Structure formats: structure tokens, C-alpha cells
Amino acid sequence: MPIQFEHVYLNAAGLHLPGPAINNEEMDAFIAPINRISMRIKSRILAENGIQTRHYGIDAQGQTIENHAQIAAAAVHQCLDRAQTSLSDVTLLAVGSSGGDALMPGFANMIQGELAAPPMQTVSCQGVCAAGVSAIEFAAQAIELGSHQQALAVAAEMPSRMFKKSRFAPRGYQSDFDAHFLRWMLSDGAGALLLSRQPKTGLNIKLKWIHQKSFSGDYPVCMQLGLTTDRNQSFLDFASSSEAEAAGAMSLRQDIRMLPQLFDVCIHEYVKLVNKGWIKSTDIDHFLCHYSSAKFMPVVEELLAKAGLSIPPERWYSNLETRGNTGAASIFIMLADFLQTKPLKAGEKIFCFIPESGRISAAYMLFEVVDGDTSSPPIAPVIAAAPTDAFEPNIPAPHQPENAPLALQPLLTQLASLWQDYRSQVWRSPVISQLVSQRFDVASYRNWTAAWVPQVREGSLWMREAAASLSGDFAPLASLIELHANDEQHDFEILYQDYKAAGGELPLTALKRNPGGEALNSYLHALAATPNPIGLLGAIYIIEGTGQRIVPALLPMLRQQVALPPQAFKFLEYHGANDEHHLARWLAAVEITLAIDPKAATAILNTAKRCAQLYLMQFEHI
């Protein structure tokens, strides 16, 4: 969970944006169209991203007027001027960026050299949008530990040199959309924060906590530089740099199809922070959200609303329209502008949210305005038992929270948290990792379906056994369970045909469950035989959720990598489309169950946990 701070203050923030402000009409002089579709892409992107002006460190002839280290150094100078502090008083320089002017040495060392700064500790954090937060966190921890009294955290980006038309000549001025897209999105800039252990006289901006989490083990690369379009080959693998350029390995690109998943994951992580007592939406006075395009602001708003955690629009702050998207430097530049233009008062909270698309990461920071003459008490997380005012967003978790009755929300919140952990582990299982890393083939698919067919064959059997075990007040649930079993009783036959389409030759009766599938099957049948096994609703949540949430994400990758006709994926296609209806029926069953016995929520949650463990075991044994 978050790293908490008691002795870290943001004394000043500075920024630097090279060259004049460039409006949308003037962009072509710097980022020239490379082919006949460029203007169409440009018009589309600019209409969506909301950026009106941005800055470049190159001139209209493509010559560098300020290099990357110089841009960063200028931001440091403004920051120190605002703090009325000398560089000689700083003993740590922490820098975050996607990269500097040179591949080595570290960017922090290059900035220190540009500043002609005295000897000090340095650290270079390389990444994408959240790299700057890593630099802040490193500096803040050093101050909190007492090893430094003042530290500079700096973030700078200079992508413009990669967007020049001449850089696309080796590819015959052709480019895929993912590389084209970023030319009209990113621009240059730098920001610097001076962190101190000692508060100033008067109002201070105190850092309360920082929280970062990477989900790179769950997702493929989204934004990258140095890999080919298919992400399978590094620029270092080519015989020469010119060959790497011709293959597109030196083009900065982003897979925009993955961006909705980025926001799903980030908002879910925010909900976890709320439910653990680290933050409340109602306590946020100023919300500084880094989004790369204005198009994504309503996406974040909608997800927050679905989670019951809306932040009023008047509390949002963004300078994207006039400063552009400067990657890791964006939150620094935003803070610098914010602190110069917004009047603040003691007690106000400033919450920063930084999603990173690189390989899916999330970063959050909380600042509080405090009086320098008083010390605020430590922020201790308050663990609320089953909160009823919030539940997880519906996109990643297999339920529909916006339609759920109030009485179901506590259980759905807990199930959604369990789901995220389960989903993460599934995506890191050997078989899915093989698929995500594009090493899947027909044999892999055949092996998977062979292990899956006998498990699916048992589904309707244990459900009917559970329906027969229902009695008393729970007896009306039997008809819903029977209906569900009827829907699925022939599913294994569809999957068996997929197995045969992949070259499978074994008869149906010869296919055996793997050890994980055997354990899951035994558990479900044993539980179904007990009186009123209502906990099995938790098992259905995991099993049907896998079909409705995970399968649709896998199907496009399977079709791309497995050289089989469309009819070889009928089972996966069917479940991705139909399990939504099954889950709606599941929600009705849960509502009936909790109306009869609210304590049944515990059995449902516990069974979901055990089923998730066993289903994961099945994945791991494929």
C-alpha cells in the first residue's frame, strides 16, 4: 500500500517549456506530414485530444535549439529561484524520464553536468509517464529517512526529435497508426520540485503519501520505443541502426487499443485506496489527473461515477490544453502551474493521479496544505468493513455494479477485489504468458482445449447436484440453477469440436482433467452435495467471469497466433458473448439469497476465493 511521509514538504515547483507556444495550425512546420494519410490522422487526433498549444525544443528546420538536459536544467533553475534556494544546498538529484540525450550515462548525471552542480547523490528513473513519480518517491524517502535535507525531483521529456519527417525516410515515409498517433500527442517540457525536510513559515504543501503499482506481468507492452511493430525484436538485434530504422524499431508507438484497460486497472486501484481508508473522494479539494488526451477525461469520470467515487468537475485541474502532453514531466508542469495560479488554504488536499501506458502502471500522490507553525497528525489508514458507499467499476470485474441493489454492493466490492487478484494471476500463468508473449501455436491451443473439455463437461452436473441439495427458503433458487445448467449442458461438445479442429484425435472419453481441474471438480461436486450449498454462487462468479471477462481479451490474440479457421474458436466466442446474460442471472440469484440470509455473503465470498485458487491451479497445469 502507500508509502507514508511525515517530514517531506514541497517547497517549490518550476517548469520550462522550450521555444514559443505552437498552435495546431503551426505544427506542420515542426512535425511535418509524412504521407497522404497524415493530415487525416492529424485532424482526427487534434479534434479529440483538446491540445491547443505545445512546445518543441527543435526549430522549423528540425535543428535542436535546446537539448533534453538543457530543458531540465532550466526547470531546475526556475524551481530554485522560486524557493530562493541555492543549488549548493541540494544534496540529491532524482530524475524521471523516458530517456535523455544519450543512452548512457544516466540522465540525472547529464543534468547535473549541465547545471555544473556540486557533487551530490543522483538517481535516474527510466520509464514513461510515472517515471517522474518514481523520482519524487526516491527523493521523498531519502528526506524522510533523514539522509538528505533538501532534494530535487526532476522530470523532462523531449520526443520532438523522433517525430521529424526525416526520421521516417528509412521506411519510405510509411508508418503504422500507432506510430503516427503519438506525433500529434506528445511535446517537449520539463518540471522540477524542491522537496525539503523543514517546513517554511506560513502555508506549506506537505507530501502525505505516494502509491505506485505496475501491472506489467499481466499485460503486453502498450507504449514502446526500440522494438519492432510486433514487439518481437529489439533494435539491438539488427545488423545496423539503419536496418533497425527501416524495420520501424526506432519509431515511438502506442497501442491505443489497450488504453481502456489502463484506466480500468488504475481506477480499480484507486477504489482499493478508498476502501483501505487512505483517501476519500469527498475530501479531495483539488484533483490533478494526468491524461494524455481530453478524450479520456470523460472515461475517468465515468469509471469514478460507476464506482460511486465521483469527484466534482470544478475540483479537477489540468493544463493539457496550453502545455500539451509532456509524458513524465506532465504532473510536474501541472503542479508548477497549479501552485502559481490557485489560492490555497490550510487543510486542503491535493490528489495527483498518473496512469502510465508503457506496460500498464498506476501512480498516486496525496499532498495536504498545512500551516508551517503546526504539524498535522499522521494519516493512518482506517480499514472499513464492507463499505456500502463504493464498489468496483464494472468493466474488469464480472458484475454490473451500476445496476446492483444497494444490499449487494458490499459483497460485490469484496468479490471485485478478489477478481482483480485472480485475473492478475491468471494472466501470469504459463499458458496465458505464452499467449501474451506471442509464442502460442496450434499445438498449444490443442493442449489447452484437451485439458479444458473434461472440466466443462462436469459443469452442468455439479450445478444440477447443487440444485437438488437446495431446500426450505432456498428451494426457489433451484429453478435458476437448473436453467443455468440447461444452458451449459452441451457446451463441452462445442469445445470438443474446437479441439478436433486444432488437430485433436483422442475420443471424448479419453480426454482427462489435469491435476488442477481434478481438484476443482472434486471440490465443486463435494460442496454441491452439502445441504443448501449457496456458497457455490461464488464459484459461478469466478467461472462465468472467466468466460465473460478474460476470454474476450484472449480471443483476438488466439486468432492472430493460431493458424486455424474461425470455426476453431466457437466455444470461446460463444462464452465471451453469452456469459454476460449468465452473470445477470447470477446477480438475481445472489439478490434472492441475501434477501433470505444476509450472512450468506460470507459463504459466497469464501467459496469464490477457493474456486479462484483451484481454477488458477488448472491454468498452471496446462
Side-chain angles (χ1 to χ4, degrees):
M1 295 310 289
I3 298 175
Q4 183 178 332
F5 301 100
E6 293 298 327
H7 307 289
V8 182
Y9 299 88
L10 172 53
N11 271 6
L15 63 90
H16 180 68
L17 299 161
I22 306 300
N23 64 36
N24 292 347
E25 289 70 32
E26 297 168 328
M27 289 183 75
D28 289 352
F30 299 83
I31 309 297
I34 61 174
N35 55 35
R36 57 187 177 83
I37 68 169
S38 290
M39 295 308 294
R40 187 164 69 247
I41 295 176
K42 173 189 174 184
S43 298
R44 172 185 168 185
I45 299 305
L46 293 180
E48 293 178 345
N49 68 23
I51 301 172
Q52 297 302 313
T53 58
R54 76 281 294 145
H55 294 254
Y56 297 126
I58 59 175
D59 62 19
Q61 287 71 47
Q63 298 300 309
T64 300
I65 55 174
E66 289 184 75
N67 68 30
H68 206 166
Q70 289 169 341
I71 293 172
V76 168
H77 285 307
Q78 186 184 85
C79 177
L80 294 174
D81 287 345
R82 288 177 173 176
Q84 297 182 337
T85 298
S86 169
L87 186 58
S88 60
D89 295 326
V90 176
T91 55
L92 168 63
L93 174 63
V95 176
S97 177
S98 58
D101 298 295
L103 295 177
M104 61 176 69
F107 193 27
N109 301 96
M110 298 300 285
I111 295 171
Q112 182 186 13
E114 181 65 34
L115 290 166
M120 63 175 63
Q121 182 180 0
T122 63
V123 64
S124 301
C125 304
Q126 192 253 346
V128 192
C129 296
V133 180
S134 296
I136 295 173
E137 183 176 309
F138 186 93
Q141 286 181 299
I143 288 175
E144 184 74 14
L145 290 171
S147 55
H148 294 274
Q149 294 298 309
Q150 290 197 111
L152 277 165
V154 180
E157 299 288 8
M158 192 181 177
S160 61
R161 293 179 291 192
M162 292 183 290
F163 295 154
K164 294 184 290 189
K165 183 177 180 178
S166 58
R167 298 300 296 268
F168 294 85
R171 302 198 73 191
Y173 298 104
Q174 298 302 314
S175 177
D176 53 276
F177 178 82
D178 289 354
H180 238 127
F181 167 73
L182 291 175
R183 298 183 79 225
W184 316 110
M185 293 289 292
L186 299 175
S187 54
D188 305 343
L193 307 181
L194 179 65
L195 303 181
S196 174
R197 189 174 175 86
Q198 297 300 322
K200 304 178 294 184
T201 302
L203 292 181
N204 284 264
I205 311 298
K206 184 175 184 179
L207 178 61
K208 303 295 288 184
W209 54 257
I210 294 177
H211 178 61
Q212 294 194 84
K213 186 171 287 187
S214 167
F215 301 87
S216 299
D218 302 354
Y219 294 97
V221 174
C222 177
M223 182 175 174
Q224 58 93 357
L225 171 66
L227 300 176
T228 50
T229 306
D230 60 8
R231 311 183 186 96
N232 284 335
Q233 200 170 4
S234 167
F235 75 101
L236 295 169
D237 296 326
F238 290 87
S240 65
S241 297
S242 59
E243 290 183 42
E245 283 195 298
M250 300 308 295
S251 294
L252 179 62
R253 54 170 49 88
Q254 183 176 55
D255 185 348
I256 63 172
R257 292 163 290 277
M258 290 186 62
L259 294 180
Q261 299 181 62
L262 168 65
F263 290 109
D264 291 341
V265 168
C266 291
I267 295 301
H268 174 81
E269 192 65 21
Y270 170 65
V271 173
K272 281 187 174 181
L273 292 172
V274 172
N275 290 340
K276 293 292 186 181
W278 288 96
I279 186 70
K280 292 181 181 178
S281 288
T282 53
D283 289 347
I284 296 172
D285 299 287
H286 305 283
F287 182 40
L288 278 59
C289 177
H290 166 59
Y291 43 84
S292 59
S293 169
K295 176 184 178 180
F296 298 124
M297 180 178 175
V299 175
V300 176
E301 286 183 307
E302 181 183 3
L303 289 171
L304 286 171
K306 286 181 177 180
L309 299 171
S310 294
I311 299 171
E314 62 271 16
R315 298 183 185 178
W316 290 53
Y317 178 85
S318 173
N319 57 3
L320 178 69
E321 180 180 349
T322 58
R323 303 305 199 182
N325 177 7
T326 53
S330 289
I331 195 64
F332 286 67
I333 294 171
M334 202 183 307
L335 277 166
D337 275 346
F338 172 81
L339 295 176
Q340 288 296 112
T341 58
K342 290 288 184 179
L344 300 173
K345 56 185 179 181
E348 290 186 329
K349 290 183 172 63
I350 305 163
F351 184 61
C352 302
F353 167 39
I354 306 93
E356 176 182 299
S357 63
R359 197 159 179 170
I360 312 300
S361 301
Y364 315 82
M365 300 186 292
L366 180 66
F367 295 91
E368 184 177 2
V369 183
V370 298
D371 193 313
D373 299 325
T374 61
S375 58
S376 57
I379 176 172
V382 180
I383 309 300
T388 59
D389 60 347
F391 46 87
E392 302 336 59
N394 70 332
I395 293 177
H399 62 75
Q400 299 174 331
E402 69 270 24
N403 298 326
L406 187 64
L408 300 188
Q409 292 180 16
L411 174 60
L412 294 182
T413 299
Q414 294 173 302
L415 285 172
S417 181
L418 166 65
W419 170 263
Q420 288 299 321
D421 293 336
Y422 163 71
R423 176 203 55 76
S424 177
Q425 293 178 76
V426 167
W427 275 78
R428 285 181 279 116
S429 64
V431 63
I432 306 303
S433 292
Q434 185 182 1
L435 181 60
V436 171
S437 61
Q438 300 186 359
R439 293 181 288 109
F440 220 69
D441 54 21
V442 174
S444 304
Y445 182 58
R446 183 169 59 246
N447 185 47
W448 185 6
T449 52
W452 206 357
V453 169
Q455 180 61 47
V456 173
R457 191 177 186 182
E458 292 290 327
S460 62
L461 301 180
W462 65 258
M463 280 189 265
R464 288 198 170 98
E465 189 173 357
S469 299
L470 294 170
S471 61
D473 291 340
F474 294 106
L477 285 173
S479 60
L480 274 176
I481 304 299
E482 282 284 356
L483 182 61
H484 194 77
N486 291 340
D487 281 352
E488 302 211 341
Q489 61 184 346
H490 298 296
D491 284 3
F492 73 92
E493 296 173 353
I494 302 173
L495 184 56
Y496 182 61
Q497 293 304 314
D498 290 348
Y499 163 73
K500 292 175 66 177
E505 298 177 349
L506 292 176
L508 180 62
T509 54
L511 296 177
K512 304 297 182 183
R513 290 180 293 274
N514 65 29
E518 196 65 45
L520 176 61
N521 185 62
S522 297
Y523 174 70
L524 293 174
H525 276 290
L527 189 57
T530 62
N532 290 324
I534 52 176
L536 282 171
L537 288 171
I540 293 174
Y541 175 89
I542 294 296
I543 295 169
E544 297 294 337
T546 300
Q548 197 240 331
R549 298 303 186 198
I550 294 178
V551 163
L554 301 178
L555 190 53
M557 290 187 281
L558 281 168
R559 284 175 168 157
Q560 181 185 21
Q561 297 175 51
V562 179
L564 290 172
Q567 57 266 32
F569 308 104
K570 284 185 176 179
F571 177 81
L572 295 174
E573 188 171 18
Y574 164 79
H575 265 268
N578 287 277
D579 281 352
E580 181 78 41
H581 306 296
H582 296 169
L583 284 167
R585 188 184 299 148
W586 171 86
L587 200 65
V590 172
E591 186 173 10
I592 293 171
T593 300
L594 296 189
I596 296 170
D597 181 10
K599 294 181 180 178
T602 301
I604 294 171
L605 179 63
N606 288 339
T607 304
K609 288 179 181 177
R610 297 178 187 117
C611 182
Q613 293 170 339
L614 295 172
Y615 209 135
L616 179 63
M617 189 188 301
Q618 182 189 30
F619 272 105
E620 290 175 340
H621 279 279
I622 294 174

